[in-house]
Amino acid sequence: MISMVSLAIRYLFSRKRQSLFTLLGIFLGAGGFVVISGFFLGFRFFFIDNLVNNSAHIFIQARQEFLEPHSLDESFFKNETKHVFWKSIPAGEKDYHRIESPQGWYERLDSDPKIEAYSPQLVVPALFSKGGSPIAAGFTGCLPEKQARVNTVAANMVEGKFSDIGGGGNRIIVGQELLKRLGAKIFENVMVTVGVGKQTPFQIVGTFDSGNKRSDLQAYGPLADVQRANHTLNLINEIDVRLFDYEQSSTKATTWSALSSETIESWDQRNSSIFTMFALQAMMRNIIVFVIMLVAGFGIYNVLMMTVSQKMKDIAILQAMGYESWEIRLLFLFQGFLLGVVGALLGLIAGFFICQYLQTLPFGGRPGATRPPGHLTIELTMGIYLQASLLSMMSALIASYLPARAAAKFTPIEIIRGGAV
Amino acid sequence: MSIVAKDVGKKIGDPPTQILTSINFEIPDGQFLSLTGHSGSGKSTLLYLLSGLDCVSSGSVIVDQVDLSRMKKKEVAHFRNEKIGFVFQFNYLIAELSVLENVLLPAKKYGQEKNRLELAKSILEKVGLIEKLNRLPRQLSGGEEQRVAIARSLVMGPKYLFADEPTGSLDTGNGEIVMKMLKEVHEQKGTTVILVTHEPDYARRAQRQVSLADGRIISDSGPSLELSLPV
């Protein structure tokens, strides 16, 4: 067996240019896989990391209920008539949606050891104005000490502290985007319209920058003040929950959904469309790599087929000397395998260094943002390198199998018989 | 012990063409036999059948009382490696290996290259190539290449040496050297040598001459013939 291995190496060295070109194919395939996978997976992890760290893991929201054509029959006519026909059929959202039994939820969440923190909220659409045109934005009433534990708003503060809204007194924290659109400054008052349309003055005591323009178009205020402004005292319509292990979010959300009437979504269920995009991205990555490997495989196949046709006499003499078919097969399979191993190894090394360089490139941030841009996230896990090695070697072995089989199929006499009868 | 051909027939191609018909003869151990005949007479085919490189279409070839057609592939491979030495018209050296590596190639099959190293060197010395054992085949002349091929066929100490027109591609001088080597192997080691040639002069130097025409034996000087013409 060793003699076949050393002979295979001699064969490869005897046609250096062909071997180098074939090696280049595998090298590009393996290196390309590492870089493309590192980039795509890095982006995916960056995105998930942002989602998981910046926001809560589970969102418990009041179920939106809608009026049915006969849902008001009893309220208006009790038992006076059997059949009610409406000129204008009742439709639309039923009442103001709320978490029906917040206390029940608090007890459940307090007793669950997997829950790190939760924050009851009243989230309402609001119009903010400071003299000019009103700006529509989200307004979240919360308990600041609880809210700070479920998302990163407290950590993203640019001016002031998130706990500054804890004392009540109509104080709010606004996102940088909202502040910019309002043309307001810290400690200035703005008018906020929620619920029935009455304006309430709130003082801006801090600003935050999450790095996401959309997230920064909102404001946080004390829960009681927002409830009062909205004329919905003691009402909450959302509980944001953070788990110790975010990977259990969807399981937990599904379990709670089955037990309650609220709408419950985990962070990944809420962003399912993005995960579909990631799946497409993964498919694209696989297609690109498959094409590269296919081309590299064809390179190996062609080179080895050519070698087989050039080495027919060698095959004949080896068999005449007692070498068996499996050894002839090994002679050619090993050439492909060796090209695969060396090509993959070089590709992995090159891929690693390219990934290291890509990691230094600035990424993120936006013009005018207070947060400095980060760097490109590149995934460098062992799994990628293992996959790249396996793919390269598999491609090389598959591509060399057919030439190896063809070589082993000949009998010495078939080769020699050319002119000998 | 001997090589026995019993009613051997061989067809090749599609549609099948009869190459050999009813070949019957026996080669006693230690005999130097030449197979002669015109091109297409079937002499090389007979050589391949006797050496186990090819399979009979009918009849049987029995070597050392074993029917080659009943051997498993692994057994045939072992038989070729251990008992058979083969010299072809074209030397078929492996271009990437040195002279010594080429000679030791049969020994490598079962990891015996270290045991056979000294033997390989002594054979190369006898054939006058000890100075060139690290050279590649392309650095040798045609005659030298053929001598390396003979050295390779002898490194396992084969009981049977088959030579298929080993002088066919050589000039007279090198042809003579090759014939002398075959004769020495036969005389000194007692190796059975079966030589295919269409050179009447070389054929006559064998102890026994068998002639073929159209796939049949047309003359056989007989197994007991003891010719010892000067080489």
Side-chain angles (χ1 to χ4, degrees), chain A residues 157-176:
Chain A
M157 292 299 292
V158 178
E159 285 180 282
K161 286 186 289 186
F162 193 69
S163 56
D164 289 346
I165 58 172
N170 283 12
R171 288 187 287 186
I172 57 169
I173 304 278
V174 300
Q176 287 273 292

Side-chain angles (χ1 to χ4, degrees), chain A residues 3 6-7 10-11 14 311 313-314 316-324 326-327 412-413 416-417 420-421, chain B residues 10 12 19 40 42 44-45 48 53-54 74 77 80-81 88 92-94 96-97 101 105-106 108-109 152:
Chain A
S3 58
S6 63
L7 187 56
R10 298 282 182 93
Y11 278 174
S14 72
K311 298 294 178 188
K313 285 179 183 174
D314 291 12
I317 195 63
L318 285 169
Q319 289 190 331
M321 284 187 295
Y323 284 90
E324 294 168 61
W326 69 268
E327 287 168 298
I413 216 65
I416 295 162
R417 190 162 268 145
V421 174
Chain B
K10 179 68 182 175
I12 57 168
I19 304 297
S44 290
T45 302
Y48 299 144
L53 279 187
D54 202 1
K74 203 172 179 65
R80 283 180 197 157
N81 184 262
F88 297 96
Y92 291 173
L93 296 179
I94 291 178
E96 288 77 10
L97 301 181
E101 286 170 327
L105 203 54
K108 278 193 171 186
K109 159 74 180 161
R152 181 178 61 191

Side-chain angles (χ1 to χ4, degrees), chain A residues 3 7 40 58 92 107 127-128 136 145 176 181 184 187 216 234 241 267 272 298 320 326 334 342 379:
Chain A
S3 58
L7 187 56
F40 280 156
I58 299 176
E107 283 167 16
L127 289 171
F128 292 80
E145 72 281 4
Q176 287 273 292
R181 291 198 193 180
F187 301 123
D216 290 351
N234 300 321
V241 182
W267 62 275
S272 58
F298 265 112
W326 69 268
F334 189 75
V342 177
E379 187 62 21

Side-chain angles (χ1 to χ4, degrees), chain A residues 378-399:
Chain A
I378 303 291
E379 187 62 21
L380 292 168
T381 52
M382 277 301 286
I384 292 175
Y385 292 88
L386 273 174
Q387 275 180 37
S389 319
L390 281 176
L391 269 172
S392 312
M393 282 179 229
M394 264 177 60
S395 148
L397 275 178
I398 292 169

Side-chain angles (χ1 to χ4, degrees), chain A residues 61-65 100 105 256-257 259-264:
Chain A
Q61 290 174 307
R63 187 180 293 279
Q64 278 183 304
E65 288 184 71
E100 290 298 340
W105 273 112
W256 287 346
S257 288
L259 299 172
S260 71
S261 60
E262 270 77 30
T263 302
I264 301 170

